[in-house]
Amino acid sequence: MSGFSDNSISTSTHNEFLTGVVERLTFHSEESGYTVARLKAPNARDLITIVGNFANIQPGQTLRLSGIWKEHPNYGSQFQVTSYLETKPATLTGLEKYLGSGLIKGVGPVTAKRIVAHFGLETLDIIENQIQRLAEVSGIAKKRIAMIQTAWQAQKAIKEVMVFLQSHGVSTTYAVKIFKQYGEAAIDTVTNNPYQLATDIYGIGFITADKIARQLGMPPDSPSRYRAGIVHILGEAAEDGHCFLPLPQLIDTAIKQLTVDNHQPSEGNLDEIIKQMKTSGELLVEEFTENKHPPLCYKPAFFKSEQHLAQMVKERLANPINVDLDRVKNWIERFTQAKQIQLSQQQYDAVVMSSYSRVTILTGGPGCGKTFCTHTIVALWKAMGKKIALAAPTGRAAQRLSEMTGIEAKTIHRLLEFDPRTHNFKRGLDYLLDVDAIVIDEASMLDLFLAHSLLKAIPENAQLLLVGDVDQLPSVGPGQVLRDLIDSDQLPVVRLTQVFRQAAQSGIIKAAHSINKGNYPVLESVSLTPQSDCLWIGAPSAEYGVQAICELIKDVIPQLGYNPATDVQVLSPMTKGVVGIRNLNKVLQELINPPSADKAEVTRGGTMRVRDRVIQQVNDYDRGVFNGDLGTIVEIDNEEMEVTVQYNGRDVVYDLADLNEIALAWATTIHKSQGSEYPVVLIPLYTQHYLMLTRNLLYTGLTRAKKLAVLVGPKKAIALSVRQVQDTQRYTRLRERLTRV
C-alpha cells in the first residue's frame, strides 16, 4: 500500500496497492467503464483521484486497488488503476454511501441512513442473514423488506456476472441487461456463444460481443464469428436504409470488418460461409440469369416482406372499383359550393381518383393543399357510406390528422394492435381491419416492415390513400417505400405543386420550395421585429453557433412570444461535434432546465433531471414507446430507482438500467424529427457536417417549423445543403418487383 507524507504523493513506476472508500464519481462512462473518481484513503489528508476502467463502481464502495501513480499536467497526481477488488465497507459512512448509491432497489440515501444508524457495522450481515430484522427500522414495511431481499439476491447473482465480465470491458448497465435476459444462465450463454448478445440485447453490438469472444479465446477465423459478422453487416446496412447488399459489397465489407490481429478472412472462406448460411436459411441470396446483376444478399425477413408487399399492391391495383363518376363529380361541385371553397385542378383530380382507385398516392410540398385535399377525400368517402380509419407513423402526426378531419386518428402501431408479449401485430391476414377505406399520413416515413404489416391488415376490397411529401428524408428504417411506389409508375399518383395564396405569404414555405428547386432561399436576418417567419443568423464558426443558439433561446425567442421550454426544438444534422446534438443537449439542459433543489436528477453516463425533454431511441414494444417519441421526465425516484417519462399524457416508467433507451432531446437530429412539427425550429448548419448536408435534409428540417424557423451558420453551409442532392442510393427492389410481369 502506498505511503503518504504530509499532503504530497510520490510518483511511482511500479505497481502499488491502495485501499479506500469511493467518495464520489467525477466521470463514469457506462459504455467503456472509463472512470474518474475521488477516493478517501486512510491516513490521507485529501481525497485521491483514481482513474481506470470499472465494470461497476458506486460511491460508498470500499476498493482495494492495484496501479501506479502518475502526474497529470493539469490535474496533478492520479492513481492509474490496473485492477481492483471490492471489499465490504468498513465505516458507517461507507456503509451509508454503499447502500444508498442505487445498488439495491428499494434503498435510497434516506433509507440507507436509517438502516445503518440502527445496525451499525453489522448492517450487511443483517441484510445477508437476518433480513427480516429490517422491520426494526422505522418506515420499512414488510413489502419494502421483500423488495430489498429480492434486489439483494439479484445483486449477488449480478455480481458474479459482473466479476466474470469485468475483464471484458462490459459496462454495469449491460451486465444488468445480460442478467435480466439470461438469468443464472448468463455466464454459460456468454461463454458458449458471446455473439448471441448482439442479437438479444439492445446496446450490445457485434463489436462488443466480438471483443468478449476474443478474450474468451474464440479464434478469429471461427465460422460462428464470420456468421455473426455477416449478420451484423447486413444489420448495419439496414440502419442505413438498405434492404440487401450485393454479394461483392457484402464480402468486401466483411473482409474489412473481420480483419483483426493480422488475420484477414479470404474471399473464398466468406463465400463458403454465405453458401452455408443460404442453405441453413440464415440468408437469402437472390440470383439473376442476366450478367448485369450480381447476387443480392438479404436477411430472409427483408426479402419476404419486400416480395409480399409488391404482390399485395399489384393485386389491389388489378381490382379497381366501379363507381358512377358523374355522381362523384356532382358531389364535389355541391360540396365545394356549400363550403365556399375551390379545389385546384390537381386537388380535383385527386378527389375523383380516390373514388375508384384501390390505392392512391397524394404527394406535394408545404402549402400545396395536401391537408385540405385529404379532408375533402375523407368527406367524399363518408358520403359514399364507407367505414374509414385514419393513421400515421407517429403520435403527433396522428393527432394533426385527427384535428384536420374531425375523425379519431391512431398511430399505425395502435391501429394494427401491437402486442408487446409477442412483439407482433394482432391485425394481419388472419384478423383484418374492419374498414372500407384508410388514410395514412406522413407516408414518407413508412419503412419496409411497417408498410408490409399495414397492407397485410387491410382488406383486399378496401381503399388506401397514402399522403406524404416524397421530397423529405426517406424512412429511418429500411426501404424507401413511398419513393419506390411512385417511381414504379404502376400506381395512381397526384403531385400537388400549386402553392396557395395564403401559404405563399409564409417565408418558411417560400424557402422550402426554393430549396426543393435547388435555389438559395430568401432569409431575413434575426431581429426583435422580424417581418418573416424564416430567419438566419450568420454565426461564422460552430462555437459561435452554440453561443448564438443560446442567445436566441435566452433573449430573442421569449421576446417574440414563445416559451423556450415547450415551443423550441433545435435540429442538427449530426450527433457529434460542437453543434452536434450531444454537446448541444448538455449546453441547452443547463440553459433551459438547470439543476435546482426541487428537481431530482440521475446520472447514468450523462445527467437527466425532472422537466428534461427526452427522446426514445429504440422501439420498446413492452412499454409501448417507439423510436423518435418525445416525452418529458416528470419523476425520478432514487429509492425505487425508476424514472417516469410522460409521452402525450401517458406515463412510462424506466428502470435505471434501461435509461440508455432514452436521451436528452432539447436538440435532436433532423432524421429523428420526421413526422413532428414544432412552433419554433432552430437549425445549425456548418461545413463540418459536409457529408450530411443535403437538400432533402435541410428541406425536412425547415418544414418541421410551424411558426418560426431560424437557420444558424454561414451562408456557405446553407448553399452547400441546397446544392447537394442525396445521391446515396438505397438498395431496394420494391420498384422492380412492382414492374415485373
Side-chain angles (χ1 to χ4, degrees):
M1 179 163 173
S2 176
F4 301 95
S5 174
D6 296 325
N7 196 29
S8 63
I9 302 173
S10 62
T11 301
S12 63
T13 55
H14 60 278
N15 261 27
E16 297 189 38
F17 294 96
L18 179 64
T19 299
V21 178
V22 178
E23 186 73 18
R24 65 176 180 269
L25 302 183
T26 304
F27 175 80
H28 177 67
S29 168
E30 294 289 350
E31 284 71 30
S32 66
Y34 178 76
T35 302
V36 180
R38 300 282 277 167
L39 189 85
K40 176 67 176 173
N43 304 320
R45 185 181 302 171
D46 295 333
L47 296 178
I48 298 167
T49 299
I50 61 171
V51 179
N53 287 79
F54 293 80
N56 179 26
I57 186 168
Q58 302 282 352
Q61 282 181 310
T62 301
L63 300 178
R64 177 172 168 79
L65 310 167
S66 174
I68 59 174
W69 291 102
K70 284 195 173 179
E71 192 73 22
H72 191 282
N74 296 325
Y75 304 115
S77 293
Q78 297 180 339
F79 192 75
Q80 301 278 338
V81 179
T82 53
S83 64
Y84 68 94
L85 288 173
E86 181 185 355
T87 63
K88 288 183 178 180
T91 67
L92 296 181
T93 302
L95 279 168
E96 281 181 21
K97 288 190 175 183
Y98 180 70
L99 284 180
S101 64
L103 190 71
I104 306 165
K105 189 169 185 177
V107 179
V110 176
T111 305
K113 194 174 186 69
R114 290 203 302 266
I115 293 172
V116 174
H118 187 82
F119 294 113
L121 294 175
E122 296 180 2
T123 295
L124 296 184
D125 288 331
I126 295 293
I127 294 175
E128 177 70 39
N129 301 309
Q130 304 176 62
I131 197 164
Q132 296 307 320
R133 287 190 61 192
L134 290 181
E136 298 172 17
V137 180
S138 173
I140 300 185
K142 287 184 179 180
K143 183 179 178 183
R144 177 63 62 88
I145 292 172
M147 182 191 301
I148 294 170
Q149 185 174 30
T150 301
W152 182 258
Q153 294 301 322
Q155 279 300 322
K156 286 176 64 180
I158 288 171
K159 190 166 287 187
E160 289 183 24
V161 178
M162 298 266 192
V163 170
F164 173 74
L165 295 174
Q166 180 177 313
S167 62
H168 305 304
V170 179
S171 72
T172 307
T173 297
Y174 294 150
V176 172
K177 283 180 173 286
I178 290 169
F179 183 79
K180 277 185 178 180
Q181 179 76 25
Y182 305 119
E184 294 181 2
I187 293 176
D188 285 342
T189 302
V190 173
T191 303
N192 295 331
N193 184 12
Y195 296 107
Q196 192 66 34
L197 300 176
T199 302
D200 293 343
I201 300 174
Y202 171 70
I204 296 183
F206 172 79
I207 293 171
T208 300
D210 195 36
K211 286 179 182 174
I212 296 170
R214 299 293 314 290
Q215 291 184 348
L216 288 170
M218 184 170 284
D221 60 351
S222 162
S224 60
R225 179 174 184 263
Y226 286 173
R227 288 174 125 89
I230 286 166
V231 170
H232 164 69
I233 290 163
L234 288 174
E236 279 192 325
E239 289 180 8
D240 290 334
H242 301 303
C243 296
F244 63 84
L245 283 179
L247 178 61
Q249 185 171 333
L250 176 59
I251 289 178
D252 286 348
T253 307
I255 289 172
K256 290 174 186 173
Q257 294 206 12
L258 294 174
T259 295
V260 63
D261 296 341
N262 298 321
H263 169 79
Q264 184 179 69
S266 72
E267 189 173 325
N269 282 346
L270 290 171
D271 197 42
E272 182 59 33
I273 291 289
I274 288 170
K275 286 177 183 175
Q276 292 172 13
M277 293 176 74
K278 179 183 175 183
T279 302
S280 66
E282 296 170 84
L283 212 61
L284 202 149
V285 180
E286 187 174 25
E287 303 194 49
F288 302 88
T289 53
E290 62 267 30
N291 293 327
K292 64 177 182 178
H293 275 303
L296 309 179
C297 298
Y298 284 84
K299 286 185 177 180
F302 287 69
F303 179 85
K304 292 170 185 175
S305 295
E306 190 177 77
Q307 190 177 53
H308 191 213
L309 175 58
Q311 177 190 331
M312 289 188 293
V313 171
K314 289 200 288 188
E315 287 171 354
R316 283 163 170 75
L317 294 175
N319 185 24
I321 302 169
N322 292 319
V323 297
D324 186 339
L325 288 180
D326 289 334
R327 284 189 66 188
V328 170
K329 292 174 182 177
N330 287 336
W331 178 89
I332 295 173
E333 186 175 347
R334 292 195 307 274
F335 179 80
T336 53
Q337 286 177 354
K339 298 288 184 181
Q340 295 185 325
I341 54 174
Q342 186 173 353
L343 297 173
S344 70
Q345 185 60 51
Q346 294 167 336
Q347 289 175 318
Y348 182 87
D349 292 343
V351 176
V352 172
M353 193 179 290
S354 71
S355 69
Y356 61 82
S357 178
R358 294 285 180 199
V359 185
T360 307
I361 295 176
L362 179 64
T363 188
C368 293
K370 291 195 305 295
T371 297
F372 179 67
C373 190
T374 302
H375 175 76
T376 307
I377 290 170
V378 170
L380 171 61
W381 282 349
K382 275 185 180 178
M384 296 173 77
K386 294 181 182 293
K387 189 170 185 179
I388 304 167
L390 309 177
T394 68
R396 292 184 180 222
Q399 186 177 347
R400 290 199 311 271
L401 185 59
S402 183
E403 291 167 356
M404 174 257 291
T405 59
I407 300 175
E408 182 192 10
K410 300 178 180 180
T411 63
I412 297 175
H413 280 80
R414 255 189 78 206
L415 179 74
L416 301 182
E417 299 177 30
F418 188 84
D419 184 350
R421 292 170 302 173
T422 63
H423 286 198
N424 288 309
F425 294 110
K426 292 180 182 178
R427 295 286 182 173
L429 294 173
D430 299 324
Y431 182 36
L432 297 170
L433 292 166
D434 183 19
V435 294
D436 301 310
I438 183 168
V439 177
I440 301 296
D441 199 10
E442 296 288 353
S444 62
M445 296 182 67
L446 286 174
D447 65 25
L448 172 65
F449 294 113
L450 194 56
H452 180 231
S453 297
L454 178 68
L455 262 289
K456 283 196 298 183
I458 298 174
E460 285 187 16
N461 60 352
Q463 292 179 264
L464 172 62
L465 174 66
L466 296 172
V467 184
D469 187 346
V470 75
D471 294 317
Q472 289 185 21
L473 289 167
S475 59
V476 174
Q480 48 183 17
V481 173
L482 187 64
R483 169 69 64 190
D484 283 348
L485 291 175
I486 292 172
D487 288 350
S488 72
D489 291 328
Q490 302 298 303
L491 287 82
V493 177
V494 176
R495 181 187 277 270
L496 303 179
T497 56
Q498 179 184 331
V499 180
F500 285 85
R501 186 170 20 180
Q502 185 176 354
Q505 305 308 308
S506 164
I508 294 171
I509 289 176
K510 286 186 203 172
H513 284 280
S514 291
I515 290 166
N516 212 18
K517 293 174 184 174
N519 299 322
Y520 193 92
V522 174
L523 302 169
E524 180 184 324
S525 294
V526 168
S527 72
L528 294 177
T529 55
Q531 303 301 304
S532 172
D533 58 3
C534 192
L535 309 177
W536 166 71
I537 184 166
S541 69
E543 289 75 14
Y544 277 117
V546 174
Q547 183 180 335
I549 288 170
C550 290
E551 289 173 357
L552 284 167
I553 289 173
K554 184 180 176 184
D555 301 324
V556 178
I557 298 298
Q559 292 193 53
L560 294 178
Y562 300 105
N563 183 340
T566 57
D567 295 338
V568 180
Q569 185 63 54
V570 178
L571 300 178
S572 175
M574 293 191 76
T575 300
K576 299 177 182 178
V578 177
V579 283
I581 65 167
R582 286 182 187 166
N583 183 55
L584 284 170
N585 269 313
K586 291 177 187 175
V587 172
L588 296 174
Q589 181 191 45
E590 291 304 301
L591 180 68
I592 301 172
N593 190 34
S596 66
D598 67 328
K599 286 184 284 192
E601 60 181 47
V602 62
T603 300
R604 284 294 185 274
T607 299
M608 293 183 184
R609 60 180 63 103
V610 169
R611 295 179 213 158
D612 270 336
R613 186 186 304 160
V614 294
I615 188 168
Q616 178 73 16
Q617 300 190 99
V618 61
N619 288 337
D620 187 329
Y621 300 112
D622 296 320
R623 293 184 174 91
V625 285
F626 303 97
N627 192 355
D629 285 354
L630 287 178
T632 302
I633 295 177
V634 293
E635 184 180 2
I636 295 175
D637 189 333
N638 282 307
E639 292 279 335
E640 302 291 339
M641 287 187 281
E642 292 177 342
V643 174
T644 303
V645 180
Q646 192 170 86
Y647 295 95
N648 292 322
R650 185 172 71 92
D651 286 352
V652 175
V653 179
Y654 297 83
D655 292 335
L656 295 193
D658 294 327
L659 285 189
N660 63 339
E661 288 191 8
I662 60 175
L664 289 175
W666 299 111
T668 66
T669 62
I670 295 174
H671 280 84
K672 292 277 190 182
S673 74
Q674 288 175 262
S676 296
E677 286 184 344
Y678 317 94
V680 180
V681 165
L682 310 181
I683 306 175
L685 292 171
Y686 286 87
T687 51
Q688 67 189 63
H689 296 155
Y690 176 81
L691 293 176
M692 297 294 293
L693 296 183
T694 61
R695 186 181 299 172
N696 61 355
L697 182 109
L698 175 56
Y699 175 81
T700 300
L702 191 63
T703 53
R704 300 309 90 207
K706 289 196 290 186
K707 297 180 179 178
L708 178 67
V710 184
L711 301 183
V712 178
K715 289 185 175 180
K716 180 180 179 182
I718 299 172
L720 182 62
S721 301
V722 173
R723 288 196 308 269
Q724 198 156 265
V725 179
Q726 181 76 337
D727 57 1
T728 304
Q729 180 64 42
R730 288 191 170 197
Y731 288 127
T732 78
R733 281 186 59 79
L734 179 60
R735 178 174 64 87
E736 287 79 4
R737 296 187 198 286
L738 287 166
T739 56
R740 187 183 297 168
V741 178

